[in-house]
Amino acid sequence: MPVFSRPATLIAVALSALVPAAALAQTWPAKPVRMIVPFPPGGNTDIIARIVAPRMGENLGQQIIIDNRGGAGSTIGTELAARSPADGYTLLMVSAAHVINPAMVKKLPYDSIRDFTPITMVADVPTAFVVHPSLPVKTVKEFIALARARPGQINYSTSGRGTVGHLSAELLASMTKIKLEHVAYKGTGPALIDLLAGHVQLQFASMPAVIQYARTGKLRMIAQTGEKRSPAAAEVPTMMEEGVPGFVVSSGFGMFGPAGTPRPIVDRVYASVKAALAVPDVKNQLSGQGADPVGSTPEQYDAFNKSEIQKWIKVAREAGIQPE
């Protein structure tokens, strides 16, 4: 009987373990793939998923079926994805809620990192820092100076507790040592209406929601929150350019699989998204929604999620926001 060395045996076992995953990737997908969107139809996450999915399906040779599972701040659909088989036939499209919820929800029914396999950030919708024209500021530096002179007297509106707009304002307050008053509304519409009327003075809002008002002078956009300027408002500086180093808020829309999704399948999904984002029609449709295509690697998206979760937990803690 031949005698094998231990290293050689271990290498053989490791190689044999790769065969099922490689074989699965060659035959996958053999049927339509479900993409869970943990929000009702019509929102940004749903729209972006429906822009990208058809081209992904063409690239993969199977239809991508959108499955809207809204409710509980996206946690219902997200839990469903986490509990699904890791066979490549369930994908999940998320919004910034995925990285904010660990700071705002006391007991999530899943782990936002361990229960998912990162694939890519599909697109980023820039956030705009807008003020009512009656506020006598045209730059972030002027705003900070005014807020320090009027502690607790400047109100900001949001579409609700725990939203990107809420935590963005609290991040600014924490980083610059100012005090702002939060006025929460039940939805984006009412929050924007009162800002336009001057009942509140500022808002961190999705750029598509406010850019037309800024262009017509009904609001003043004094900054945007990305790492670099968005083409949608190339003339508006970033918060970092305005003297707030490290202030970056991303409304990233990304894609996951359940934990354990085989890497060969992850690579194929990532390649299909990357190819879809390079199609001019897809780019134009995303731009029409105020979204910038991204297409980060799985490793980059993993690092982004881990960093963002820790950032928002820190912001919520420093602002005294208790998870519910």
Side-chain angles (χ1 to χ4, degrees):
M1 178 178 293
V3 177
F4 297 99
S5 68
R6 181 173 176 80
T9 303
L10 290 175
I11 291 171
V13 170
L15 290 174
S16 66
L18 294 176
V19 172
L24 176 62
Q26 289 175 357
T27 59
W28 179 91
K31 60 182 181 180
V33 175
R34 175 176 65 161
M35 183 185 293
I36 295 175
V37 174
F39 297 97
N44 280 339
T45 313
D46 179 65
I47 291 170
I48 290 172
R50 292 179 188 276
I51 289 173
V52 175
R55 287 289 183 173
M56 285 180 60
E58 290 178 13
N59 297 333
L60 294 171
Q62 286 287 350
Q63 183 181 8
I64 307 294
I65 299 173
I66 305 298
D67 184 4
N68 293 95
R69 297 296 184 101
S74 82
T75 61
I76 291 175
T78 303
E79 181 184 14
L80 176 62
R83 307 292 175 242
S84 296
D87 56 7
Y89 289 101
T90 297
L91 302 174
L92 172 70
M93 178 74 83
V94 301
S95 70
H98 189 78
V99 293
I100 290 175
N101 279 340
M104 305 304 297
V105 181
K106 186 176 293 186
K107 291 185 179 180
L108 284 172
Y110 52 80
D111 186 285
S112 300
I113 296 296
R114 290 195 300 269
D115 288 340
F116 302 94
T117 298
I119 298 174
T120 185
M121 183 188 291
V122 178
D124 181 27
V125 175
T127 298
F129 181 9
V130 291
V131 300
H132 189 267
S134 63
L135 204 66
V137 299
K138 293 186 178 179
T139 69
V140 175
K141 290 179 182 178
E142 291 177 356
F143 174 81
I144 293 170
L146 181 67
R148 285 175 177 163
R150 302 180 185 177
Q153 298 177 39
I154 298 178
N155 301 323
Y156 70 94
S157 63
T158 74
S159 58
R161 179 184 182 276
T163 57
V164 172
H166 178 200
L167 293 187
S168 295
E170 293 300 335
L171 177 61
L172 177 62
S174 173
M175 294 180 72
T176 60
K177 309 305 179 186
I178 61 176
K179 181 174 176 54
L180 305 172
E181 289 299 316
H182 180 208
V183 183
Y185 292 78
K186 293 183 178 180
T188 301
L192 184 55
I193 289 171
D194 267 14
L195 175 63
L196 289 166
H199 300 315
V200 293
Q201 287 75 54
L202 73 108
Q203 190 177 125
F204 281 90
S206 169
M207 194 175 292
V210 297
I211 192 167
Q212 292 303 324
Y213 296 111
R215 287 172 177 165
T216 58
K218 294 180 179 178
L219 294 175
R220 181 181 300 133
M221 189 186 303
I222 61 175
Q224 51 184 301
T225 68
E227 288 188 5
K228 57 184 180 180
R229 298 186 187 194
S230 168
E235 74 285 359
V236 179
T238 67
M239 293 290 289
M240 291 192 294
E241 289 175 315
E242 282 288 283
V244 190
F247 191 106
V248 176
V249 175
S250 172
S251 295
F253 295 85
M255 194 175 297
F256 290 99
T261 301
R263 182 61 193 237
I265 290 178
V266 170
D267 289 341
R268 286 198 62 194
V269 176
Y270 168 62
S272 75
V273 174
K274 192 78 172 176
L277 295 178
V279 176
D281 182 54
V282 172
K283 285 184 177 179
N284 291 337
Q285 288 186 66
L286 289 172
S287 296
Q289 297 299 319
D292 298 330
V294 180
S296 56
T297 66
E299 289 75 20
Q300 290 169 332
Y301 190 44
D302 185 38
F304 168 84
N305 282 292
K306 290 175 179 176
S307 174
E308 288 291 289
I309 286 172
Q310 291 307 311
K311 178 174 78 176
W312 294 127
I313 288 174
K314 182 174 182 288
V315 170
R317 185 186 302 122
E318 291 181 352
I321 303 171
Q322 296 298 318
E324 295 180 351

